[in-house]
Amino acid sequence: MPLKPDYYAFSARFGHRYNLRALHTYDDDEFGFPGWDGDVGYDSGEDSTQSSSGSGSPLSTSRLAERDFDAFPLRVALLDLPIEIIEYIAACMRHSVPVLDAASRYIDDRYSDFADTRFSLSAYSKTCSKLRPIVERVLYRDIQLDFTGWKGRKHTQWPAASLDLLLRTLRKRPQLGRHVHAAALDYQLSTESQALEDGLEEFLKLTPNLKTLYLWQCPLALWNFTPPKITTFATTYAPGIIHSALNHFPKLENLYLRDCSVMSFPLDLPRHNLKSVRLDSNHHHAVSHFSRALTLCSKTVEHLDIRFIGGLLHQSPEFAPKIDHVPPAPGTNLRSLRLDNISVFSNLDSAYTQLLQSLTMLEYLHVSHHSCFSAGAFTVLPPRLRRLTVSDYYSCWESGPTKPHERNRLFMTCFGSCFMFSPLKISQLVVSPGGDDDDESFKLLFEMAALEKIRYDKVDESTAFIEVFFVHRQDPLQPERD
């Protein structure tokens, strides 16, 4: 017969080792366990049946182990866990998404993690009065609000919470407002704007620790308030919004703007502390958009994400001829760049490659929805690049094979031909097929890597991608995939 777990000895040792206080203790014998004396102690490094050094009385764990563990109420096992672990269990019910990706999902489709998990977390918080304040810290940490109430236009699959109901709750329990760190607001510009602006003002006053703010539409009234702790801001682009955001949010580090218009994109910007920037735009004036986006990258910006809206429904931006003089890129500290739906390596005689080569500090480059690479694509890579990632590479717009496997093999052939012309030393090739079963395409790529004596690996992950790692002479070790 298997031994019953010595649960209480484990709990005592855990709390002593990590200096954590259990949510429930048994000193008051609340549940009336027979024979419980509340004298269980912790004696580091000694057998639990021996006497403790302070009291001289034997530990009670041997007697506890003989009890029927299954007879104890299940809630006791949960309540006896440290507060930090219970909060971590609640946090695991939410989905962890990178902040700019979460911003994009909300601005594009008004989807947030809150809409998926709030009902489960709310039910979890109501199971026990002692669990409620712990779980509520997670429940209110990241919220989504509908500013027009339950009668407004709501997303049928991911309904937001009601602003009116939340404000009523925060008026009664203002301490809950301190738990709100992120908010996605379904603010709709309308003629009845005064009531919405009043609600926005009250909400911002009741949430002093708000750090992340997503606005489906950004009202001018927002700039009448200055939330002091905002570090992430996302909304639909409007003229003048960049200046306003940088001036009103002095601690801003992450910025996401959708539907950017390059014609109104400012060139003179106030000083800022941005770390990550994502800009979604259409294909018009793509080179100018790319160039002006770099002006936003002062010495503080480390990651820039530029995506041209359209995906597979539109061809990639037209290639612009090289220009006579390319000014030094202002993004001197830019380390990571993501380019989506812009085939920068299909035509090397373009201004795109000039802009890339001017990024002398760039180390990580990710291109997606890219057509076939030119054979000399690796000759125009930034000089300090360490990793190149390619995803969604099946979308070849040029005329040619129409079957998916044929297009895939064409892409692999073009990509593999880049190895032999690369001026940068390639240390490793990593390929993830995703859900693709065309092994012949990947075998072809591996054979071309073997000819250049490049180590290659195949990994099984949910998404398809290709990663190429480069090594430089000053590197003490060759880079490995994380």
Side-chain angles (χ1 to χ4, degrees):
M1 180 178 180
L3 295 175
K4 297 292 182 180
D6 196 349
Y7 172 76
Y8 300 103
F10 168 77
S11 178
R13 290 189 176 93
F14 188 93
H16 181 88
R17 174 175 297 178
Y18 297 103
N19 194 27
L20 299 176
R21 178 178 62 85
L23 179 66
H24 173 73
T25 60
Y26 300 92
D27 295 338
D28 55 357
D29 194 18
E30 178 181 350
F31 295 98
F33 295 139
W36 175 258
D37 52 16
D39 292 332
V40 174
Y42 173 74
D43 192 6
S44 176
E46 299 182 8
D47 186 78
S48 61
T49 60
Q50 297 178 0
S51 299
S52 61
S53 57
S55 63
S57 60
L59 297 174
S60 306
T61 55
S62 58
R63 177 165 49 83
L64 290 170
E66 297 174 358
R67 298 182 183 180
D68 189 0
F69 180 82
D70 297 330
F72 291 148
L74 181 60
R75 63 192 179 112
V76 176
L78 178 62
L79 292 177
D80 193 60
L81 292 173
I83 294 176
E84 292 83 354
I85 294 182
I86 297 178
E87 185 174 350
Y88 178 77
I89 293 173
C92 288
M93 299 174 67
R94 312 204 71 156
H95 309 298
S96 178
V97 181
V99 60
L100 293 183
D101 290 343
S104 173
R105 292 168 68 178
Y106 171 72
I107 300 298
D108 288 351
D109 204 10
R110 295 170 64 186
Y111 166 83
S112 75
D113 165 67
F114 173 79
D116 268 351
T117 59
R118 67 187 179 101
F119 297 108
S120 300
L121 282 170
S122 179
Y124 183 25
S125 69
K126 296 174 183 177
T127 57
C128 175
S129 61
K130 293 186 177 181
L131 283 177
R132 185 176 180 180
I134 304 174
V135 179
E136 280 181 339
R137 290 203 291 264
V138 180
L139 175 62
Y140 284 86
R141 184 179 301 166
D142 186 348
I143 61 176
Q144 180 183 358
L145 297 177
D146 177 11
F147 265 63
T148 59
W150 291 99
K151 295 182 180 180
R153 179 191 174 200
K154 300 185 66 59
H155 200 298
T156 56
Q157 187 175 0
W158 307 307
S162 170
L163 173 69
D164 293 335
L165 296 180
L166 176 68
L167 292 179
R168 186 178 67 183
T169 301
L170 295 183
R171 293 187 196 109
K172 294 179 179 179
R173 303 175 62 194
Q175 70 276 11
L176 292 179
R178 298 185 175 275
H179 301 328
V180 179
H181 289 178
L185 309 182
D186 295 356
Y187 194 103
Q188 300 180 20
L189 300 178
S190 65
T191 56
E192 302 176 357
S193 60
Q194 188 59 47
L196 300 181
E197 292 175 2
D198 293 342
L200 176 62
E201 180 180 5
E202 184 177 4
F203 171 75
L204 294 177
K205 289 181 178 179
L206 293 173
T207 54
N209 295 323
L210 187 66
K211 296 180 180 179
T212 299
L213 180 61
Y214 304 152
L215 277 167
W216 190 47
Q217 292 179 328
C218 185
L220 293 177
L222 175 66
W223 313 123
N224 297 332
F225 325 114
T226 307
K229 298 182 179 181
I230 294 293
T231 59
T232 301
F233 180 65
T235 188
T236 303
Y237 182 80
I241 200 170
I242 294 181
H243 271 280
S244 299
L246 296 180
N247 285 325
H248 286 78
F249 304 140
K251 295 184 178 180
L252 191 64
E253 295 183 356
N254 307 298
L255 176 65
Y256 170 79
L257 297 175
R258 181 177 171 83
D259 296 332
C260 295
S261 174
V262 69
M263 302 309 294
S264 59
F265 201 83
L267 294 176
D268 55 327
L269 296 172
R271 296 184 61 181
H272 56 79
N273 297 311
L274 290 175
K275 302 293 184 183
S276 300
V277 177
R278 174 169 169 178
L279 305 172
D280 292 0
S281 178
N282 55 39
H283 288 154
H284 300 299
H285 310 287
V287 174
S288 298
H289 181 85
F290 191 3
S291 176
R292 292 199 175 197
L294 293 177
T295 65
L296 191 59
C297 300
S298 65
K299 293 183 179 180
T300 62
V301 177
E302 297 180 354
H303 174 71
L304 176 63
D305 191 333
I306 300 178
R307 307 197 186 194
F308 290 96
I309 301 171
L312 304 182
L313 300 180
H314 300 279
Q315 293 188 353
S316 56
E318 296 180 358
F319 294 105
K322 288 186 177 181
I323 54 182
D324 296 334
H325 175 67
V326 178
T332 55
N333 201 41
L334 194 65
R335 296 292 194 275
S336 174
L337 176 64
R338 169 84 183 262
L339 298 175
D340 180 77
N341 199 21
I342 172 171
S343 299
V344 292
F345 296 115
S346 296
N347 186 341
L348 306 185
D349 294 324
S350 67
Y352 301 125
T353 58
Q354 286 181 291
L355 292 172
L356 274 180
Q357 288 180 306
S358 67
L359 303 176
T360 57
M361 301 298 292
L362 193 69
E363 296 181 353
Y364 305 103
L365 175 61
H366 183 179
V367 295
S368 53
H369 292 107
H370 198 291
S371 60
C372 290
F373 278 47
S374 174
F378 286 9
T379 63
V380 296
L381 291 175
R384 296 190 182 183
L385 194 69
R386 296 179 180 273
R387 183 174 65 193
L388 171 65
T389 302
V390 185
S391 61
D392 298 309
Y393 44 80
Y394 305 118
S395 51
C396 300
W397 289 287
E398 58 268 52
S399 59
T402 57
K403 295 182 179 179
H405 286 182
E406 293 179 354
R407 292 199 303 266
N408 189 18
R409 291 169 190 173
L410 174 61
F411 184 92
M412 295 298 178
T413 302
C414 295
F415 190 82
S417 64
C418 299
F419 298 157
M420 65 182 69
F421 299 106
S422 175
L424 302 178
K425 181 177 176 56
I426 302 175
S427 63
Q428 186 182 10
L429 170 70
V430 178
V431 174
S432 170
D436 184 37
D437 57 354
D438 184 17
D439 291 336
E440 295 299 325
S441 299
F442 299 108
K443 288 181 180 179
L444 177 63
L445 185 62
F446 291 152
E447 290 175 359
M448 302 179 75
L451 291 175
E452 300 298 323
K453 299 181 180 180
I454 300 173
R455 183 162 61 92
Y456 54 87
D457 294 294
K458 183 179 179 181
V459 296
D460 293 326
E461 297 193 12
S462 58
T463 58
F465 61 82
I466 303 173
E467 286 185 334
V468 180
F469 293 83
F470 302 94
V471 62
H472 301 273
R473 292 182 178 179
Q474 65 272 22
D475 296 338
L477 295 174
Q478 293 186 355
E480 296 287 344
R481 184 177 182 272
D482 298 333

